[in-house]
Amino acid sequence: MCKLMELNVQLQVRAEEVFEQLLRSIIQDFKQSTGQTISKEQLAKNFSYQKNIKNRMGYDTPVKVHIDELIPSKEYRATIEHLKGINTMAYTLTDNENGVEIHYKEGYQAATALQNWNYILASIFFARKSKKNMRKQFVYLEEVIKNENLSSQREVI
């Protein structure tokens, strides 16, 4: 398994809120991919579904999304299997006095050794940009959660 990225991020929200957003994202992806609705309670370890994603050439490529671990407000791990290999991602959430620390890991296992070497070399060149983009995603996530909290406070008043 090639480790493409590992990142620690501190957000000023709670782990429970981050996890809730993650579940909403999975539910939305499932609905867009299958046309079916699923509840949060149905999401669990070993849950999987098929979907199509666009490859670099713009063509649809079938993939299988599989939840490897789902521990509420603590951990989420998933694999995305496709013809050329397997992508893995993992989020570990830890509440602290400043909010939540997120430990994010991403990896890739290509179908062949040559493709693995190609991804290792490419990841060297793109690692900095990938981390920067992922940090932006986490900042955006934090903003979404804070805005939802403000909206719900306004509704109560």
Side-chain angles (χ1 to χ4, degrees):
M1 179 66 60
C2 299
K3 183 174 67 170
L4 297 179
M5 181 179 8
E6 197 162 346
L7 183 65
N8 287 315
V9 178
Q10 178 70 41
L11 302 182
Q12 295 179 354
V13 293
R14 295 185 337 261
E16 179 183 347
E17 295 168 316
V18 172
F19 199 80
E20 187 69 26
Q21 279 293 339
L22 185 61
L23 292 180
R24 284 187 205 152
S25 177
I26 296 166
I27 290 168
Q28 181 180 7
D29 185 54
F30 179 80
K31 185 171 186 168
Q32 286 177 341
S33 302
T34 67
Q36 299 173 346
T37 303
I38 187 171
S39 70
K40 287 188 287 188
E41 293 73 30
Q42 291 173 286
L43 292 177
K45 184 177 181 176
N46 296 324
F47 179 83
S48 63
Y49 61 98
Q50 302 285 328
K51 69 184 255 180
N52 287 322
I53 60 171
K54 298 273 186 213
N55 65 16
R56 289 184 211 151
M57 303 302 286
Y59 300 114
D60 280 344
T61 302
V63 299
K64 179 182 178 184
V65 178
H66 185 268
I67 296 175
D68 300 319
E69 189 65 76
L70 191 69
I71 303 170
S73 302
K74 298 277 185 217
E75 184 176 4
Y76 170 73
R77 284 188 290 121
T79 54
I80 301 171
E81 299 176 36
H82 47 91
L83 293 175
K84 295 199 177 211
I86 300 172
N87 289 80
T88 61
M89 65 181 76
Y91 298 79
T92 305
L93 310 173
T94 308
D95 273 320
N96 58 40
E97 64 277 354
N98 298 320
V100 61
E101 182 178 348
I102 301 173
H103 182 74
Y104 175 78
K105 285 196 289 191
E106 194 176 283
Y108 181 73
Q109 178 65 50
T112 68
L114 184 59
Q115 287 173 329
N116 259 346
W117 279 107
N118 184 33
Y119 277 97
I120 289 169
L121 291 174
S123 69
I124 291 169
F125 293 107
F126 296 110
R128 191 172 178 174
K129 184 176 181 181
S130 294
K131 280 188 176 187
K132 184 178 178 181
N133 288 340
M134 200 63 206
R135 284 187 195 283
K136 284 182 182 178
Q137 291 273 29
F138 283 122
V139 167
Y140 177 73
L141 172 66
E142 182 180 44
E143 288 174 15
V144 166
I145 292 169
K146 286 181 175 182
N147 287 337
E148 283 184 359
N149 288 345
L150 282 174
S151 292
S152 65
Q153 286 175 359
R154 286 185 192 130
E155 290 173 10
V156 172
I157 294 176

